[in-house]
Amino acid sequence: MTMTNLVYLIPLFPLIGFLINGIGWRTIPKSVGGLIGSITVLASFVVSLGIFFEVKSTGASSTIVLFDFIQSGKLNIPFAFQVDSLSVTFLLIITGIGFLIHVYSTSYMHEDEGMVKYFAYLNLFIFSMLLLVLGANYLVMFIGWEGVGLCSYLLIGFWFKNRDYTNAAKKAFIMNRIGDLGFLIGMLLILFHFGTLSYQDFFGQLKSGATANPSMYNWIAICLFIGAMGKSAQIPLYTWLPDAMAGPTPVSALIHAATMVTAGIYMIARSSALYNLAPDALTFVAWIGCITALIAATIAIKQYDIKKVLAYSTVSQLGFMFMALGMGAYTTAVFHVMTHAFFKALLFLGSGSVIHAMGGEQDIRKMGGLGKKMKVTQITFLIGCLAIAGIPGFSGFFSKDEILAATFEHNKAIYALGLFGAMMTAFYMFRLYTLTFTGTFRGTHDQEHHLHESPAAMTFPLIILAILSVFGGYIGLPAVISETHTLRNFLSTSVSNIAHEEMAHNTEWMLLGISTAIAVVFSIIGVAVHRKPNFVANTGLSKVFENKWYVDELYDTIIVRPLNALSDMLDRFVEKMGIDGIVNGIGKLVRFGGDRVRLLQTGQVGFYIFVMVIGITILFALSFFWIR
Amino acid sequence: MKAIIAATIIGVIMMFASILSNNKSGIVSLATVLFFFLFGINIWEVYESINATGVAAPAYLNNMMSLDSFAIWFSMLMSGCALLYILLLGKEIAKVGKHVGEYFALIAFIMVGIYLLAGYSNMLMLFIGIEILSIPQYILAGSDKRNLKSTEASLKYFLMGSFSTGILLMGIAMLYGATGSFDIINFRMLQTDALNPLALSGILFLIIGLGFKVSAAPMHMWTPDVYDGSPTPFTAFMSTIVKAGVFVAFLRLFHASFGNLTNHWMMIVAVITATTLFIGNITAVFQQSVKRMLAYSSIAQAGFMLFAILSVNATAWQGIVIYAVAYSVATIGMFAVLIKLKDYTYDGFNGLAKKEPALAFFTTIFLMSLAGIPLTGGFMAKYFVLLAAVQQGQVMWLVIFALIMAAVSVYYYFKVIIAMYFKTGEAELNHEVTGYDKLMLGITCLLVILIGLMPQLLLNL
C-alpha cells in the first residue's frame, strides 16, 4: 500500500468539511466550524506531504482511476487523478498555504455572522482547486476550474448586502466565463482531433508525432490560453481581479493571490508538451504576459487602496509568470508561482492585519506609522516587500531573476520591458510599505486609539509565511551559485522545458547584478520619495495610472453598453413581441381549442353515440381507402 | 387460476357479509383482510410460475385460458394496486351508500374480469372478461342512488357500454367468419398482403370496442360524464385498475394475433392515439373541477398507453406494466387526497400547503408523476412506452406530438400545485386527516418514487 493510492483522501477531506459546515452552517458554533475547516485542510496537507516524499524518492508519475466518469461509444473519460511532481508541488502549495489561511481566518472572521458558511465555501474552494490540479484529464481539470470559479464568486460576494461587492462578484464570474469558453473550445478541439482528453494519451500522441495539422496545435494552445487569461487575470480579462478584493482579505490572499489565479499557469505548465509544438502561441503568451506585467505595475504605483495595490501587483506578477511560460521555461513559472504564493499570501495577510487594526480602513493615505503599534505585522510585511522587490537573498529574487534570465536568452525586448516591470515593482511595494508603516499616523484619533497588534492566530501564519518568503527561493538557485536546481530537477519528470543552452557564467553574473541593482535602487527611491507624503491630485499620466488606464470605462463603452442596448432591443422586440407572442399564442390557441372541444361534451347520450359513429365511419374510410 | 377462484369466493363472501351484518367498519376490515389474502394468493401463483420455468403455460377451461407468467405477474400487480386502493379508500367506500358489502363484492368480481383479461386465449373469454368487468362498473357508477348525477352516470355508462359491446361482438363474429376460430393464436394465419375485408372489418371493430373501454377518442365521450358523476371512490377504481386491465387485453390480442398485420391497423391506432392525446389534454386544460380534470387526464394517459399497443415489441409489454402500475398508484393517491376536500374545484385546493403540508407534499408527488417528471414512476412509464414506439420506428411524428402534449399536461396538473402552495385561501376538508391517512399516502408516495428509481422491480418476469 503506497501513499499514492491514498490520493483520493486529499480532496475528500475538504469535501467532508464543506458538507459538514455547509449543511450545518446555521447551527454549528463558530469555533467548531473554524476548527473543522482548518483540520480538514491540515489532513490533506499531511497526506500531500506523504505523497510528495514518495514521488520525490521514486520520481514516478502515476494515474489513479477512481471510476468511469463518461463512457459513450469510443469516448471514455475516467474520473482519474494524476500524481506526479507537478501536481504534488501544487498540492503542497494549496494545502499548505490553504491551511495557514484557514487558521488566520478563524481569527479574522471571528466577528462575522456567516463565519461557518465562510469556512464551508473555503473548504469547497480547496476541494475544487485540488480537483483542478489532480485531474488526469482536461475534463476533471475543468470541473475543478469551474468549481474554483464558483467559490471565487461566492467569496467575493460574501458580504452580499453591499451592492458593489455583488457587482464585483458578477464581474469576476462573467470575465471568467469568457475565458472558460476558450478553455472549453480548446478541450473540444483536442477531443475532436485526438479523441481523448487524458493527459497521458494526448501527450503521448503529441510526442509520437501525431497527424494533426501543426497550425491546429497553435489554435488549441491559444484557446487554452484564453481560459488561462480569464482565470489568471491577463490582458484583456484582468479587470475582475482588482475588484475581487471586495471579498474578505484572507480570500484575497488564498484565492486571488496564492492559488486560484495560478491555475492558468498550472494548466499551461501541464500542457507543456502541447505548447512546445506551438511556437506562435508561446510568443503570444509571452507578449500578453509582458504587457500585463507592465500595465498592472503602472496602475499599482498610483493606487491608494492597500489591497488594490497588492491586487495590481498580483496581476503584474502573474504577467511575469506568463512571460516565463512564453519562453518555454515552464518550471521557472512554477518556481515563481511558488515563491509568489509565499510572499503574496504574506502581504495580503499582513494587509488584512492592518485593515483589522484600522477597523476596516483600506486607504493608505489615512495610515502611516503603524509599525510602532504592530511590530510583527511590520516586520513580516517588510520581508514580503523585500521578497517581491527581488532583493538578493529573498525568495522572489531567485525566481524573478530566473524569469529575466530566460527572457534575456530568448527575447531581448521582453527582457528590457521585464526589467522595467521589476523596477516598478520595487518602487510601488516600498511606496506601500513606507506610507503604511513609517512616518506619522494620518487617520482619525479614534482609529489611532484602536490600533493594536493582531492576535496570535493571525500573526502565526504571518511568521510562517515570512520564513518561507525568505528561504523558499533556495530550492531553485541560479546555476552560477549551485550546480543543481532542486525544483527543476524535481519537475523534470512531468514538465518538459524547451531546451536552452547553458548561459556563460559571466553573463549570468551580469544579469544578477543588473537585477540586484535595479531592485535595491528603486526600493530606496520608493522609500525616499514617500517619506514625507504629499497627496496632491494627480495630473497627466499619473491620473491615467490612478484611473487604471480607463480600461473599465473603455470596456463599459465598447462592450457593456452596446451589449445592454442589444439585450434591451432583443428583449423589447424579439422576446416580448416574437417569442412571448408565439408562446402565449400557443397557450391562447390551446385554451381556445379547449373551450371549443369542451362544448362537444353536451351530456346527451344520443349525441355521444352519434359522434362515435361518425368517428367509426371515418376510421373505416381511412382504413379501406387511404391506408391501402 | 387460484386467484380467479379466490376472487369469486371473496365476492360471494362479501355479498353474504352484506346480508348478515350492518357494521360498516367491520365489513371494511373484512374486505381489507380478504384482499390481503387475495394478494397473497397471487404472490403464491407467481412463486409457482417462477418455479415452473420451462413448462408450457398451463391451460384452463378447454384451452380458453392460458395463464402464462406475464398474465400471473400482471394479475399480481393489479391485485396489489387493488389492495392499495382499498387500504387508501376503504373508509370512503363505506360512506357512499348503505350496501357496503356489495360494493366490495362488485370490486372483487371486477378483479375476476381483470384476471380473465390478463390470461385469455380465446375470444369468448375476452368477451366474458370484458362483461364481468363492465357490468359491476355500471352498478358502482350508480351506487349513490339518491344522487341524480350518479344515476345519470350509471345509465349513460350502461347505454353506451352496451352499444360498444355490440360492436365488440360484431368484431369477434367477423373474425370468426374470416378464420372459423375463436382462438387468438389462429388469427395469426390471416394473410398479411391480401387481408380478407371481413377480417379487416373485424379488427377495426375490435379496435373500436376495446377503444371504448379504455376511453380512446372518439369513443371517449362517456368518460368525463361517467367519471364525474360516479361516487369519487369508484371513479378512482374505474379510471385506474380497470382501465389497465382492459389495456392488457388489448395488448395481448393485437400483439399475439395481429402482430404480423401491423400495416393494416397501426395507422388507425396511431390516428386514434393522436386524437386521444389531443382531446384529453386540450380539454383538461379548461376544466374548473379537479375531478373532471382527472377524468380528462385519464383520457390523456390512455393516449400514452396506446403507444404500447401500436409498437409491437417487447418494450411495449414492459411499458404497459410500468404504465399501468405507475399511473394507477399515482391516480389512486390523487383521488385519495381529492376525496378529503369539500370543494373539488381548483379553488378548493387554495392554501392547502399551509393547512396540511404533508397532504400537499404528497399531492405534489402524485401530480408530478402524472405529468411525467423524472424521478417519479410516471416518468419511467412514459419513457418506456415512448421508447417502445421509437424502437418500432414508424411513428416518430406521433412521439413528438405526444411529448408536446405531455408538456401541455404539466399546465393543468401544476395548476393544482400552484393553488396549494402559492394561492391564499382556506382549503376546507371534509374531516380531519388522520395519521393512518398520512401513513398510507406516504407509502403510496414512496411507491411512486420507487418505481421512478427502479422500474426494473416491476419487470421481474
Side-chain angles (χ1 to χ4, degrees), chain A residues 590-591 593-595 597-598 600-601 603 605 607-609 611-613 615-616 619-620 622-624 627-628, chain B residues 156 160 163 167 195 200-201 204-205 208 218-219 221 224-225 263 267-268 272 282-283 286 292 296 411:
Chain A
V590 167
R591 286 176 75 91
D595 203 25
V597 176
R598 194 171 61 114
L600 279 178
Q601 207 73 34
V605 175
F607 179 72
Y608 289 179
I609 292 182
V611 171
M612 200 164 139
V613 170
I616 294 169
L619 289 180
F620 264 76
L622 280 179
S623 170
F624 277 89
I627 289 174
R628 291 214 155 174
Chain B
K156 269 186 192 167
M160 299 194 67
F163 184 71
I167 291 176
L195 186 62
L200 179 59
S201 308
L204 284 174
F205 277 129
I208 290 156
M219 293 74 74
M221 304 292 276
D225 290 6
N263 54 337
M267 266 308 141
I268 296 298
I272 291 177
I282 297 294
T283 324
F286 228 79
R292 212 169 161 83
Y296 280 103
Y411 173 77

Side-chain angles (χ1 to χ4, degrees), chain B residues 44-67:
Chain B
W44 179 21
E45 273 196 296
V46 168
Y47 181 74
E48 269 186 352
S49 84
I50 289 171
N51 281 344
T53 42
V55 184
Y60 297 98
L61 303 172
N62 296 325
N63 287 332
M64 288 201 281
M65 293 288 292
S66 159
L67 291 174

Side-chain angles (χ1 to χ4, degrees), chain A residues 242-302:
Chain A
D243 286 13
M245 298 304 134
T249 305
V251 170
S252 309
L254 178 63
I255 301 185
H256 304 118
T259 52
M260 183 186 86
V261 288
T262 60
I265 320 284
Y266 168 77
M267 186 234 275
I268 291 178
R270 174 58 82 193
S271 315
S272 58
L274 169 70
Y275 279 86
N276 286 343
L277 294 173
D280 296 345
L282 276 183
T283 313
F284 182 61
V285 171
W287 276 105
I288 290 282
C290 179
I291 296 168
T292 309
L294 285 182
I295 289 193
T298 57
I299 298 173
I301 289 178
K302 284 292 167 195

Side-chain angles (χ1 to χ4, degrees), chain B residues 1-22:
Chain B
M1 203 61 200
K2 295 183 194 76
I4 298 175
I5 296 166
T8 316
I9 295 172
I10 288 169
V12 175
I13 294 175
M14 290 314 298
M15 281 164 72
F16 276 103
S18 185
I19 298 170
L20 296 174
S21 163
N22 256 337

Side-chain angles (χ1 to χ4, degrees), chain B residues 5 21 62 64 149 184 226 283 385 399 459:
Chain B
I5 296 166
S21 163
N62 296 325
M64 288 201 281
K149 265 182 91 181
I184 63 170
V226 172
T283 324
V385 289
V399 174
L459 302 176

Side-chain angles (χ1 to χ4, degrees), chain A residues 22 35 78 165 167 171 198 204 213 215 220 223 313 345 358 490 549 581:
Chain A
L35 200 65
Y165 291 3
N167 282 341
K171 189 173 180 181
S198 118
N213 184 351
S215 76
I220 295 174
C223 283
S313 130
M358 293 286 293
F490 178 58
W549 294 73

